[in-house]
Amino acid sequence: MQDKINVLPVLTWNHLGVNWAGKEFSLPEAPKEKPSEERLSVSLLPSGVERIETFPKGKNEMESGIGKAYDDYVIEDANVTCFLGVRGKTEQVIRLKSSIPGLHTAIIGDYGIYAEEESSITLLQEASAAEGGSGFTAELTRIYAEKGSLVKLIQVQDLNRFCSSWNGVAIHAEDGARVEVIRAVLGGDKVALGTKALLKGKESSYLLNTAYFGDQTQVFDFNDTSEHWGENTQCDMYTAGVLAGESSKTLRGTIDFKRGAAYSAGHETEEVLMLGKKVRNRTVPLILCGEEQVEGQHAATIGRLDESQIYYLCSRGLTSLQARLLLVEGRFAPVLGQIPDEKLREVLSSQIERRLKDNDTK
C-alpha cells in the first residue's frame, strides 16, 4: 500500500522530511489467508466485560494517528480480531497478546473497546515474537468511551529485529470520560505508531505516556494527536526515549483546539537521551488554536547523559555503568510502573539493562 501514513495535520517544508513517514513504512501486501485466533490469546473476562462480534455501528467515526488508509487496511484484511463491550467497573486487568511464532508471519489485528457510561476497564496489550520468528504486525485499537467512563490501555511491544510493526489507536471520549494510553516500545526493526484522541465531550481527558529504546539501526516513527472539541477538556502527552547505535526517531505531537473547546488545556513533553554519535532525532511539536480561551504548552529536552550527575552518583559508590543505568531507568519508570505484571516488568528492565551495556561507550 503506497498511501502516506503518519501525516502531520498541518504540513511544513518538505525538505525537512517530517510531513509523513518515509517509504520504508509502506505497508506490505496483506496475505490472503483465513482469520486465525491461534496468534492471539485473550485472558478470561471478568463480570461486566464481554467479547462482542463487531465494533458497534455508529461508534466508529474516528481514525488512528496513522491515518484512515491504514485503518481501512487493518479492518478489511484483519486475521485476528477482539472487540470488548464493558458494563460497570472492573479492577481485573484483561490481557490480549499477539505473537509471531515462525517465519514470514503476518498479524493484522483489529481490536476495540466500547465502554458504556460510568464503566471502567484496563487492557494490557502485548506484541511479541519467538526467537526465530519474522514478519510484521499491523494492529488497530479503537476506543469509544461513553459519559463518565475510564479506559486504560497498556501496550508493550517487544518484537525481535526480524519484525516490523505498525500500531494505531483511535479514541472518542464523551462527557467526563477519561482514556489513558501507556506505551512501552522496545522491539522491531521499523516501527510506526500513531494515536488520535477526539475529546468530544465536556470535561473529557486523555493521557498518553510513552517510553522507547532504540539501538542498532532501529527506526521509530510516531504521530500523536489530541483534538479538543468539548469545553474544559484536558490532554497530557509525555514521551521519553533513548537512542543509541545508529537508530533514529521522528515524533509528531499535535494538540488541536477546535472552536468550542473553551477553557481546555493541553500539555506535551518529550525527553530524548542520545547515547550514540550516529543517532538521529527529529521532534515536531504542533499546537493549533481555533479557540481563544485555551492553554497549550509543549517542551522538549534533547541531549546526552549529564556527566556531573554521573560523577555525583559514582562518588556515592556506584560504578559508571550503574550510574548510567540508574539515570536511564528513571526515564522508563513512569511507564514500566504502570505495567501490572511484575514478571513482564522484570523482563523489560533486564532488556533495557542489557542494551545499555551493549551501547555503553565508557
Side-chain angles (χ1 to χ4, degrees), residues 59-128:
K59 305 294 184 182
N60 54 6
E61 296 301 318
M62 50 182 155
E63 66 181 61
S64 74
I66 298 184
K68 186 179 185 303
Y70 170 79
D71 298 355
D72 291 343
Y73 167 90
V74 172
I75 293 169
E76 292 171 7
D77 296 308
N79 54 27
V80 294
T81 62
C82 181
F83 306 108
L84 302 176
V86 188
R87 296 187 180 93
K89 300 181 184 295
T90 178
E91 295 183 1
Q92 178 180 324
V93 177
I94 299 167
R95 300 186 68 158
L96 184 153
K97 184 174 183 178
S98 59
S99 180
I100 293 180
L103 297 174
H104 312 301
T105 302
I107 294 178
I108 303 179
D110 186 11
Y111 317 128
I113 299 172
Y114 175 62
E116 296 187 6
E117 288 191 17
E118 303 298 335
S119 65
S120 66
I121 183 175
T122 298
L123 176 65
L124 173 58
Q125 192 180 95
E126 303 170 64
S128 64

Side-chain angles (χ1 to χ4, degrees), residues 226-247:
S226 177
E227 289 188 359
H228 296 251
W229 294 84
E231 290 185 0
N232 199 27
T233 52
Q234 173 84 33
C235 85
D236 294 284
M237 300 194 295
Y238 304 102
T239 304
V242 177
L243 294 173
E246 298 180 22
S247 61

Side-chain angles (χ1 to χ4, degrees), residues 150-260:
L150 170 62
V151 177
K152 186 173 185 178
L153 174 65
I154 304 169
Q155 296 184 318
V156 178
Q157 190 269 85
D158 191 23
L159 298 167
N160 63 37
R161 301 305 169 84
F162 301 104
C163 299
S164 297
S165 173
W166 291 259
N167 189 331
V169 178
I171 297 165
H172 180 115
E174 286 293 342
D175 291 356
R178 179 170 177 80
V179 177
E180 300 178 2
V181 178
I182 313 297
R183 301 185 301 200
V185 186
L186 298 177
D189 177 34
K190 297 185 294 292
V191 182
L193 304 100
T195 68
K196 186 173 183 178
L198 305 181
L199 301 180
K200 288 285 190 175
K202 294 181 180 180
E203 299 182 351
S204 56
S205 61
Y206 169 54
L207 168 69
L208 175 65
N209 202 339
T210 303
Y212 64 87
F213 195 127
D215 64 1
Q216 297 180 17
T217 57
Q218 282 183 289
V219 182
F220 294 153
D221 195 282
F222 298 86
N223 189 43
D224 300 318
T225 299
S226 177
E227 289 188 359
H228 296 251
W229 294 84
E231 290 185 0
N232 199 27
T233 52
Q234 173 84 33
C235 85
D236 294 284
M237 300 194 295
Y238 304 102
T239 304
V242 177
L243 294 173
E246 298 180 22
S247 61
S248 66
K249 180 234 70 180
T250 300
L251 170 66
R252 303 168 198 83
T254 301
I255 300 171
D256 189 355
F257 297 104
K258 302 294 187 179
R259 182 171 295 279

Side-chain angles (χ1 to χ4, degrees), residues 304-322:
R304 306 185 185 279
L305 286 171
D306 189 329
E307 293 298 328
S308 64
Q309 289 181 323
I310 295 173
Y311 178 82
Y312 173 80
L313 292 171
C314 289
S315 72
R316 294 298 184 269
L318 297 182
T319 66
S320 175
L321 179 59
Q322 289 172 331

